[in-house]
Amino acid sequence: MPAATLRLARAAALAGASVALVACGASSGARRATPTVSASAIPAASAGSARGRLLDWPEFGLDAQRSGTSDQSSGITRANVARLRRDTVRLPGTVDSSPIYLHAVTVAGASRNVIVVTTSYGRTLAIDADTGRILWTFTPPGYAGWAGSSQITNTSPIADPGRGFVYAVSPDGLVHKLSLASGTEAAGWPIRVTRDATREKLGAALNIAGGELLVATSGYYGDAPPYQGHLVAIALAGGRIQAVYNTLCSDRRALIVPSTCGASDSAILSRGGAVVEPGGRRVLIDTGNGPWNGRTNFGDSVIELSLPGLERHQSFTPSDQQRLSESDTDLGSSAPALLGGDRVVLGGKDGVLRVLALSGLDGRTAGGARLGGEVQTLSTPGGSELFTAPAVWRHGGRTTVFIADGGGTAAYILRSGRLLRAWQNADAGTSPVLVGGLLYVYDPAGGGIRVYNLSSPRAIARLAGEPGHWNSPIVVDGHVIEPEGNANDHRQSGTLDIFSAG
């Protein structure tokens, strides 16, 4: 049987097994003891109005650290959240990712509050947040050649720091720089970031560090080889590739024709993609299944790279890396989350949360490479595979982490370098966001958004909506914005819900 067929069969079998495990509450994560603390340990949110109003949401997770949180006011409160006006926008494509939002920018000749989204086949749209009108649509050249196929993208766009452009991708492996005013491509763009877009997928959200755009690659559903996860740094000014880090064949520092590397896979597949550390001098990525040797191949690993050169500084690989790889249990299904206090947490498809010491990731010793070194392991909220990005809230001298998976949503407190669970429920969700003292979690199976007070597992409101996949909301400037639909359905239509105060 061909290798690609074997991988597809293995993925299908494991997907069925995963569903059974989650249903029985018997995944490896569910069996792990999780220390607890009272929900009263979660600090009370300050009045958001005292910190001003949150006007922009320029990238996935709100900031380069992917915190997904803000103490600023969104204009939405406990008093009005159940009375928001809902407008549904019909889109020429499915947005299986997260939107971005810019307040009072010039688009189509006027100052507007604008939502920007990218569909699964690479159309990027600017939408008036106050009227729901589509202001412009960028359709990449060659669109008809892959539209309706399995060649898709789940990459969230990002706004240029100058707010005059947005960066977005298309499934043919190109990164586009588009004028926010008109949707036209900037001179010198697009930039190609893969030598085989039929094997290497653009799925993780874009990020920016200093003057570089960070773009990550993964593989398509079924893990058909050959492909290599890699991170590309592109100069915002001029559009030149500045550096490439390949997680396999990492001694090669340029884009690789996938078939010329003796190893395959090791995708950078998480929603958050590259996570920039405070100060902007280093970046964290984690990877999916693939071989590991601690020198040139880093499957199922966390890797810290320098910026802007993408030189490897240190890495972490769990002691069961080979088992994870052989069982299609990607360590890197969720991006590393920076907790502060020299701690990082990440969750994988094995239902395990791993807490790491950021200063001690390094798997190198005097005797060579080593495996393991977690500070703590505990269960994901439902003991389920984790594909979502945690929301990390630093407030009142404490760090609170909110995580959702296919089996539940939970809140954790960081104390003495370890995570303690403060509350948990059985409500599935995608990547949570916390704004103005409220937590918002989209339900991909049932549709709609649950809204929580921070110290309770019981939702105080539910915003109606349709089912989806990896879509997640943003909450900004008087709006809750949620795209819906599943890119794996290969539809060329979709919806975007805009909930507005006032």
Side-chain angles (χ1 to χ4, degrees):
M1 186 180 294
T5 305
L6 280 170
R7 285 176 176 271
L8 287 167
R10 184 186 70 179
L14 285 166
S18 173
V19 171
L21 286 171
V22 171
C24 298
S27 76
S28 60
R31 293 194 296 269
R32 291 175 180 267
T34 301
T36 60
V37 68
S38 171
S40 63
I42 298 174
S46 303
S49 58
R51 296 176 178 265
R53 184 165 170 128
L54 182 64
L55 298 178
D56 289 344
W57 195 290
E59 64 180 292
F60 177 86
L62 184 58
D63 51 48
Q65 288 72 51
R66 311 303 202 197
S67 73
T69 66
S70 174
D71 280 337
Q72 291 183 291
S73 169
S74 68
I76 297 169
T77 65
R78 296 171 182 81
N80 68 12
V81 67
R83 303 194 308 273
L84 301 179
R85 183 186 76 252
R86 178 188 180 188
D87 295 302
T88 299
V89 182
R90 303 294 171 181
L91 303 176
T94 299
V95 178
D96 193 351
S97 57
S98 182
I100 63 173
Y101 179 100
L102 294 171
H103 174 84
V105 288
T106 300
V107 181
S111 177
R112 309 174 194 270
N113 301 321
V114 174
I115 303 161
V116 180
V117 295
T118 298
T119 72
S120 57
Y121 292 119
R123 279 182 165 153
T124 295
L125 302 93
I127 301 161
D128 189 311
D130 299 309
T131 67
R133 176 187 163 206
I134 297 175
L135 301 170
W136 54 254
T137 301
F138 169 79
T139 301
Y143 176 88
W146 61 78
S149 76
S150 59
Q151 189 172 334
I152 60 174
T153 180
N154 305 94
T155 296
S156 296
I158 191 168
D160 185 85
R163 303 173 88 242
F165 295 91
V166 293
Y167 301 91
V169 309
S170 49
D172 55 347
L174 297 180
V175 181
H176 304 271
K177 182 176 183 178
L178 307 176
S179 164
L180 191 58
S182 62
T184 56
E185 186 100 61
W189 295 73
I191 305 300
R192 181 167 298 281
V193 293
T194 171
R195 302 287 295 274
D196 188 350
T198 67
R199 299 283 181 169
E200 294 184 333
K201 176 185 175 184
L202 297 176
L206 301 175
N207 209 340
I208 289 175
E212 279 75 44
L213 178 70
L214 301 176
V215 187
T217 67
S218 61
Y220 289 95
Y221 179 76
D223 294 325
Y227 69 89
Q228 294 85 33
H230 56 271
L231 185 66
V232 182
I234 304 172
L236 300 180
R240 297 177 305 278
I241 291 180
Q242 303 289 83
V244 177
Y245 182 80
N246 296 296
T247 66
L248 301 175
C249 293
S250 65
D251 53 330
R252 298 171 62 179
R253 302 308 308 273
L255 298 180
I256 295 174
V257 175
S259 61
T260 66
C261 176
S264 180
D265 299 17
S266 189
I268 304 172
L269 74 154
S270 64
R271 301 297 82 234
V275 178
V276 179
E277 296 179 27
R281 300 185 64 181
R282 291 181 182 171
V283 61
L284 289 173
I285 56 173
D286 58 2
T287 65
N289 306 317
W292 175 87
N293 61 19
R295 300 181 305 278
T296 58
N297 294 335
F298 289 89
D300 290 299
S301 297
V302 178
I303 307 166
E304 185 181 48
L305 304 170
S306 65
L307 291 169
L310 301 184
E311 299 289 342
R312 188 174 69 251
H313 178 66
Q314 56 176 341
S315 64
F316 160 82
T317 308
S319 57
D320 58 349
Q321 184 275 332
Q322 185 173 349
R323 182 190 66 81
L324 295 179
S325 184
E326 291 175 349
S327 61
D328 191 28
T329 313
D330 304 75
L331 177 80
S333 60
S334 179
L338 296 160
L339 305 181
D342 194 38
R343 292 294 182 263
V344 176
V345 66
L346 71 149
K349 285 171 64 176
D350 58 355
V352 175
L353 296 174
R354 292 172 170 84
V355 180
L356 312 175
L358 181 57
S359 63
L361 296 181
D362 202 338
R364 293 170 296 172
T365 66
R370 68 175 174 86
L371 299 170
E374 298 95 330
V375 172
Q376 179 190 13
T377 60
L378 62 161
S379 174
T380 55
S384 300
E385 299 174 338
L386 190 68
F387 289 98
T388 64
V392 180
W393 185 50
R394 300 183 192 177
H395 183 84
R398 298 178 187 173
T399 296
T400 309
V401 186
F402 298 91
I403 301 176
D405 63 16
T409 300
Y412 303 83
I413 293 287
L414 182 68
R415 180 175 291 175
S416 300
R418 298 170 67 84
L419 287 178
L420 309 176
R421 190 178 64 222
W423 60 255
Q424 179 174 329
N425 61 34
D427 297 332
T430 61
S431 304
V433 298
L434 186 164
V435 183
L438 296 175
L439 182 72
Y440 301 79
V441 184
Y442 173 66
D443 179 358
I449 299 169
R450 293 184 178 90
V451 186
Y452 300 88
N453 285 324
L454 305 185
S455 59
S456 172
R458 291 178 291 276
I460 62 170
R462 185 180 178 107
L463 307 178
E466 300 300 318
H469 182 225
W470 283 341
N471 344 62
S472 56
I474 62 174
V475 183
V476 57
D477 199 18
H479 303 289
V480 181
I481 303 161
E482 176 62 64
E484 298 155 329
N486 187 338
N488 293 323
D489 292 338
H490 303 156
R491 297 181 60 187
Q492 297 179 58
S493 62
T495 56
L496 178 82
D497 276 332
I498 306 172
F499 299 90
S500 303

